[in-house]
Amino acid sequence: MSAPLGALIRGDTIAAIASAPGRGAIATVRVSGPRAEEIARQIAAPWPETPRCATRCTVRDPERGEVLDDAMVTVFPGPRSYTGETVVEFGTHGGTFVPAAVLAALVHAGARPAEPGEFTERAVLNGKMDLVRAEAVADLIDARSRAQHRTAISQLHGALSTHLVALRDELLTLDALLAFDIDFPEEDAGALPRARVDAACELVLGRLETLLATVPAAVLGREGAMVVLAGAPNAGKSSLLNALIGEARVIVSEVPGTTRDAVEVLLEHDPWPLRLVDTAGLRDSEDPVERLGIQVSTRYLAQAHVVLACADTRSGLATTTTIIRSHTDAPVVSVLTKGDLVSNSNEIAGSSDLSVVSAVTGDGLTALLAAITAAVASSVGTLAADTPVVTRARHRAALTHARDELLAFRAAWSGATLPAPVAAVYVRAAVHALDELIGAVDVEEVFARVFSTFCVGK
């Protein structure tokens, strides 16, 4: 048996600045390891008497005795700390020099400068969190939208980990069923019903597919749904984009062909952020620069999750929509962009099939955003509230591997093309695929499940 993960941790003590660089009111310097308290005591006095209680201390250079800062020091004795080791945190004054000087003092006293992510790595190796939750820490830091933040918080609280553990348990149950049939064929229970194995396999396959189906939603949460504004020149696309984001980000002019390139803006929205793309007007043009812009527009149309067909008349919308549909299969939302200038009631009569908006007055923008949200949902689907989201390529690769191994098992088992011991190899490969995400399993664990489930040996 291999050594426990915790035994593989280096026995040294690490230190690092844990706050963003630059000018600020407060900075955090963190030290973790078996000598954390011993090292920190060399530079801070008086020493905190109560764990997990911030204490005002004078921080000095351990060699020259020079005062470096008047700081708040907090001790987190292991294993009840972020890393599982004893951790000491210094809340210093911010800026560049002070935290760097405190870090240098800790290093001089015996700590080693930490590598990127090493505190969280130690938390994983010490069993404080699994690797999926550790990745959620990085996702939380990198979050650029409410959707990404919401997903990271959910992962950090164990939403995906809980599902992965349940999947692993179900795979072990399937493996145990096969192990019982292979190793204990003479038991009183008789031959294992094949339907029971089939049902267990289908249950896990269904849950794997459900998780993998969340990948598009995860991409939207991270990158945003691409919403392309398309239409003829002077259709009001740029004005509409400016109105949606609440500021003038795109040049608006009455001169046709002003927009020569795609202009992309990320709009915070729920449940997904929206990547609004203003494109060059769709028309035949002799201007080589404008023609290049139109080519860019068609490429964006091909990648869009939703397209806003923009025009100021119904006839213009019909023409624009025909052009758009020749370049994309994405849902198209028809938008009458200049609702404040429409004097002909026939233009807006029976307008349930389109959105009537005004960039000048703001009328119709809320309804348009609701229509965009519905169109995105129709394109990528919606998730149940309790379904965790697969956010990383590593997760997707491991889950895909597990699914493919189970599919291979199902084909071999249902077709009886391989002996049960050989077919069971696929199930164990699926277990090991999940082990890459949540931990290791050995033969003893499978046998423990066999004995507890079937009461073997009583």
Side-chain angles (χ1 to χ4, degrees):
M1 300 234 353
S2 59
L5 287 175
L8 302 178
I9 303 175
R10 307 174 196 144
D12 55 358
T13 298
I14 57 174
I17 299 172
S19 49
R23 190 165 185 248
I26 298 173
T28 300
V29 182
R30 175 186 290 173
V31 56
S32 176
R35 297 183 59 216
E37 186 170 343
E38 172 197 340
I39 290 170
R41 279 180 177 271
Q42 296 181 47
I43 73 169
W47 188 250
E49 296 182 358
T50 306
R52 299 174 184 82
C53 181
T55 302
R56 184 177 177 182
C57 302
T58 299
V59 181
R60 297 178 180 272
D61 183 289
E63 184 177 19
R64 299 188 300 274
E66 175 186 353
V67 175
L68 299 177
D69 196 22
D70 190 13
M72 302 300 291
V73 179
T74 310
V75 182
F76 301 89
R80 293 178 57 197
S81 70
Y82 180 74
T83 63
E85 306 169 326
T86 294
V87 174
V88 181
E89 291 189 350
F90 291 77
T92 73
H93 287 87
T96 302
F97 181 81
V98 173
V102 173
L103 175 60
L106 289 168
V107 171
H108 183 83
R112 172 177 63 79
E115 299 291 334
E118 195 169 357
F119 287 92
T120 303
E121 177 188 35
R122 291 186 177 209
V124 172
L125 294 176
N126 280 317
K128 303 299 292 185
M129 64 176 70
D130 59 33
L131 194 53
V132 173
R133 286 176 171 153
E135 289 169 322
V137 172
D139 291 341
L140 188 61
I141 294 171
D142 293 336
R144 297 189 305 156
S145 68
R146 185 180 295 110
Q148 203 172 359
H149 169 265
R150 182 170 53 240
T151 298
I153 288 291
S154 176
Q155 310 288 56
L156 192 57
H157 288 171
L160 180 58
S161 296
T162 300
H163 271 65
L164 293 175
V165 169
L167 274 173
R168 180 175 178 272
D169 285 345
E170 288 163 1
L171 279 172
L172 288 174
T173 297
L174 177 57
D175 197 9
L177 288 170
L178 294 169
F180 182 86
D181 193 44
I182 294 166
D183 297 313
F184 305 99
E186 305 301 325
E187 286 297 310
D188 295 338
L192 178 67
R194 296 183 69 85
R196 189 173 177 186
V197 173
D198 294 339
C201 180
E202 292 302 324
L203 176 66
V204 179
L205 275 173
R207 295 189 177 181
L208 285 169
E209 293 289 3
T210 297
L211 282 175
L212 286 169
T214 67
V215 170
V219 173
L220 289 189
R222 182 175 63 252
E223 300 178 1
M226 183 181 291
V227 180
V228 177
L229 286 71
N234 276 2
K237 302 182 298 298
S238 299
S239 296
L240 177 58
L241 185 143
N242 288 338
L244 287 170
I245 65 174
E247 61 178 292
R249 289 290 299 275
V250 184
I251 296 174
V252 177
S253 171
E254 295 181 358
V255 178
T258 299
T259 302
R260 298 298 185 95
D261 198 359
V263 179
E264 186 171 327
V265 181
L266 186 67
L267 175 66
E268 176 56 49
H269 186 60
D270 208 23
W272 304 286
L274 304 177
R275 289 167 57 196
L276 302 176
V277 184
D278 184 25
T279 59
L282 299 174
R283 67 170 180 176
D284 293 329
S285 175
E286 298 301 322
D287 185 329
V289 176
E290 186 178 357
R291 290 175 64 182
L292 288 174
I294 295 170
Q295 291 176 12
V296 171
S297 299
T298 58
R299 288 201 296 271
Y300 270 98
L301 286 172
Q303 302 169 24
H305 292 102
V306 177
V307 179
L308 303 186
C310 301
D312 52 9
T313 65
R314 276 186 176 272
S315 60
L317 275 177
T319 301
T320 296
T321 301
T322 299
I323 297 173
I324 289 171
R325 292 199 183 280
S326 68
H327 294 289
T328 184
D329 294 325
V332 177
V333 176
S334 298
V335 185
L336 201 60
T337 55
K338 302 177 182 179
D340 56 307
L341 300 180
V342 175
S343 58
N344 185 354
S345 60
N346 291 330
E347 289 291 338
I348 59 175
S351 58
S352 59
D353 61 333
L354 57 84
S355 296
V356 181
V357 303
S358 170
V360 176
T361 65
D363 292 341
L365 294 179
T366 300
L368 175 59
L369 285 172
I372 293 171
T373 301
V376 175
S378 71
S379 178
V380 302
T382 56
L383 297 177
D386 60 345
T387 302
V389 178
V390 177
T391 58
R392 288 177 171 253
R394 188 181 74 87
H395 303 169
R396 181 180 182 180
L399 292 170
T400 301
H401 185 192
R403 180 197 61 189
D404 292 347
E405 293 291 349
L406 269 187
L407 288 173
F409 165 77
R410 185 175 68 179
W413 178 258
S414 62
T417 57
L418 294 174
V422 179
V425 172
Y426 291 118
V427 176
R428 296 189 186 111
V431 172
H432 286 296
L434 294 187
D435 287 343
E436 296 178 4
L437 299 179
I438 58 176
V441 61
D442 53 33
V443 173
E444 286 78 4
E445 185 171 355
V446 175
F447 272 91
R449 188 172 296 270
V450 168
F451 279 86
S452 63
T453 304
F454 294 94
C455 301
V456 173
K458 75 172 186 178

